[in-house]
Amino acid sequence: MKSVMMGFEICDSGFLGTSQDIFSEIDAKLKLSSSLVVCFGEILIDFVPTVSGVSLAEAPAFKKAPGGAPANVAVGIARLGGSSAFIGKVQNCLPTRFLSLCANFVAEVCLCAELISSVLCQVGKDEFGFMLANILKENNVDNSSMRFDDGARTALAFVTLRADGEREFLFFRNPSADMLLEESELDVNLIEKAAVFHYGSISLIEEPCRSAHLAALKIAKKSGTFLSYDPNLRVALWPSEEHARQGIMSIWDQADLIKVSEDKIAFLTKGEDPYDDDVVLKLFHPNLKLLIVTEGSEGCRYYTKNFKGKVAGLKVEAIDATGAGDAFVGGLLSNLASDLTLFQDEKRLRQVLLFANACGAVTVTQRGAIPALPTRDTVLQLIQQSSA
């Protein structure tokens, strides 16, 4: 059943077909992609409470888990069988000669891998930095473009979901290595060969990383790469709310795809209703191809120049929501990379968004971000179970 509203074609859930049709078409069409997605930004260590529903101060203990939104997306894509890349920085704590040998080894691994995800980031030369580099490699993420800083530490973040439903964050990055990535350290060749260049907004907060981010964006755009933006709202890291709003919006009109949540819409529009389509469409810039609004367990809304609609979420028992949005993006981009025109086909888009919703749903059933990211088979199994 279809109806027309405000110039957009809107379809109800029947648009996807029967339960068996949904599963069969997704299983058949969500093929493994060899098209590269390059992810730019931060990679860090998340510390998550061992029990749910408590504040950071009340937590009896914490479990460490690799995280950072762009890195989560890169691993998410690779774990789904796709190809992605990551640029960023961590701290260095080992001799230069050893690092050179490690870099050569990683390059050989990347050349031999059939399915490679690549990360552009900077980490510290500390134990956490090398742990993160190794985790990326173990997950078939190309970490050859990671940079190691001799001075600053790898970023740490304590995160919890309190009993009142509010997420609480505490960051240690004064400065952290990811903030110190230089434009001269960018892997230009890697960016130029990407089908999709994905980024967030944390890397826009401080120099020199901001300039490196803008330079990478310029390289990608010049190369005709599809630009994917998932702004991450961490107001405490910015000088003020207005600085955060201006910083996030400063590159808004560059993106082909933007994914936001309801709380970010409310923030960016200074308190307007995020469920009002007229409010959401204020954020739809002239060159934008696809705007996605995620609604947690309720699913997501999608907006293109020709149609809009909603795809419902899948019900699961949630334990930890950390990384769910990144899992969603990984599910979306793993498919978009192989079909950069899928936003023109509403039926195809809805199938991919159902898959992305399922990626997020699986992730919330475990603690931590990267450890909880699903495989393609796990996602398809949940879709089949939910549609039975």
Side-chain angles (χ1 to χ4, degrees):
M1 179 178 180
K2 298 183 180 180
S3 60
V4 176
M5 174 182 255
M6 298 170 56
F8 290 85
E9 186 178 8
I10 305 174
C11 299
D12 61 23
S13 59
F15 186 86
L16 283 173
T18 66
S19 297
Q20 187 58 42
D21 288 340
I22 295 170
F23 177 72
S24 297
E25 290 197 37
I26 288 178
D27 193 30
K29 292 183 178 180
L30 300 186
K31 300 297 185 183
L32 300 184
S33 169
S34 60
S35 300
L36 180 67
V37 179
V38 173
C39 302
F40 178 98
E42 69 278 6
I43 184 169
L44 47 83
I45 302 293
D46 284 330
F47 285 89
V48 183
T50 54
V51 297
S52 301
V54 297
S55 68
L56 292 176
E58 295 167 335
F62 295 86
K63 174 184 177 182
K64 76 176 187 296
N72 293 343
V73 171
V75 173
I77 291 169
R79 199 166 287 174
L80 291 168
S83 174
S84 68
F86 180 86
I87 297 178
K89 200 170 192 178
V90 291
Q91 191 197 25
N92 188 4
C93 65
L94 296 181
T96 303
R97 174 60 180 161
F98 180 80
L99 291 175
S100 177
L101 292 173
C102 287
N104 290 337
F105 173 74
V106 169
E108 291 177 7
V109 170
C110 292
L111 287 173
C112 294
E114 292 183 5
L115 293 170
I116 300 175
S117 172
S118 184
V119 181
L120 302 177
C121 71
Q122 178 149 314
V123 289
K125 285 184 181 177
D126 52 19
E127 290 300 320
F128 283 144
F130 286 100
M131 183 193 85
L132 292 171
N134 189 56
I135 287 172
L136 293 176
K137 185 182 74 173
E138 289 175 348
N139 283 279
N140 291 325
V141 174
D142 174 0
N143 61 8
S144 61
S145 293
M146 288 183 70
R147 305 296 181 239
F148 293 84
D149 191 86
D150 290 317
R153 299 288 186 183
T154 299
L156 307 179
F158 290 79
V159 56
T160 188
L161 182 66
R162 302 194 310 241
D164 60 7
E166 291 297 316
R167 296 179 74 187
E168 185 179 355
F169 294 89
L170 180 62
F171 294 93
F172 289 83
R173 55 194 307 268
N174 297 304
S176 55
D178 62 287
M179 301 162 62
L180 302 179
L181 182 68
E182 302 270 357
E183 180 179 344
S184 61
E185 296 176 303
L186 295 175
D187 188 337
V188 175
N189 291 332
L190 183 64
I191 298 172
E192 289 178 337
K193 70 181 183 181
V196 177
F197 183 72
H198 176 72
Y199 48 92
S201 55
I202 299 300
S203 48
L204 296 170
I205 299 175
E206 298 281 355
E207 293 289 356
C209 189
R210 174 180 168 79
S211 291
H213 184 150
L214 296 178
L217 191 58
K218 185 176 180 180
I219 294 167
K221 195 169 187 66
K222 185 177 180 180
S223 301
T225 302
F226 192 96
L227 303 180
S228 168
Y229 186 24
D230 181 10
N232 208 348
L233 183 58
R234 301 287 180 263
V235 176
L237 298 180
W238 294 83
S240 68
E241 285 194 2
E242 190 54 34
H243 277 90
R245 192 175 290 110
Q246 292 177 3
I248 290 170
M249 295 301 296
S250 67
I251 58 171
W252 194 266
D253 62 354
Q254 300 294 305
D256 298 300
L257 160 66
I258 297 176
K259 173 257 176 187
V260 288
S261 56
E262 317 105 289
D263 62 316
K264 295 185 182 72
I265 293 175
F267 176 79
L268 294 173
T269 59
K270 297 185 178 181
E272 294 192 54
D273 183 2
Y275 298 98
D276 184 336
D277 285 337
D278 290 336
V279 171
V280 175
L281 290 172
K282 291 179 181 180
L283 299 175
F284 199 103
H285 67 76
N287 297 318
L288 189 61
K289 296 179 174 65
L290 177 61
L291 175 62
I292 300 292
V293 180
T294 54
E295 299 181 349
S297 62
E298 297 302 312
C300 67
R301 284 174 279 157
Y302 58 89
Y303 301 81
T304 74
K305 292 180 180 179
N306 299 314
F307 52 77
K308 66 178 180 178
K310 179 173 180 176
V311 177
L314 293 85
K315 303 304 180 184
V316 295
E317 185 175 346
I319 295 176
D320 178 16
T322 305
D326 302 327
F328 175 95
V329 174
L332 173 58
L333 296 185
S334 65
N335 290 281
L336 179 66
S338 62
D339 180 7
L340 294 175
T341 64
L342 70 81
F343 59 86
Q344 298 174 1
D345 181 341
E346 187 170 13
K347 183 177 181 181
R348 168 80 170 125
L349 176 61
R350 288 176 62 84
Q351 290 173 338
V352 169
L353 292 176
L354 174 62
F355 182 85
N357 282 344
C359 289
V362 172
T363 301
V364 304
T365 63
Q366 299 182 52
R367 297 189 192 282
I370 287 179
L373 294 171
T375 63
R376 181 173 178 271
D377 287 344
T378 303
V379 173
L380 293 177
Q381 183 179 24
L382 175 60
I383 293 172
Q384 186 178 40
Q385 291 172 348
S386 300
S387 60

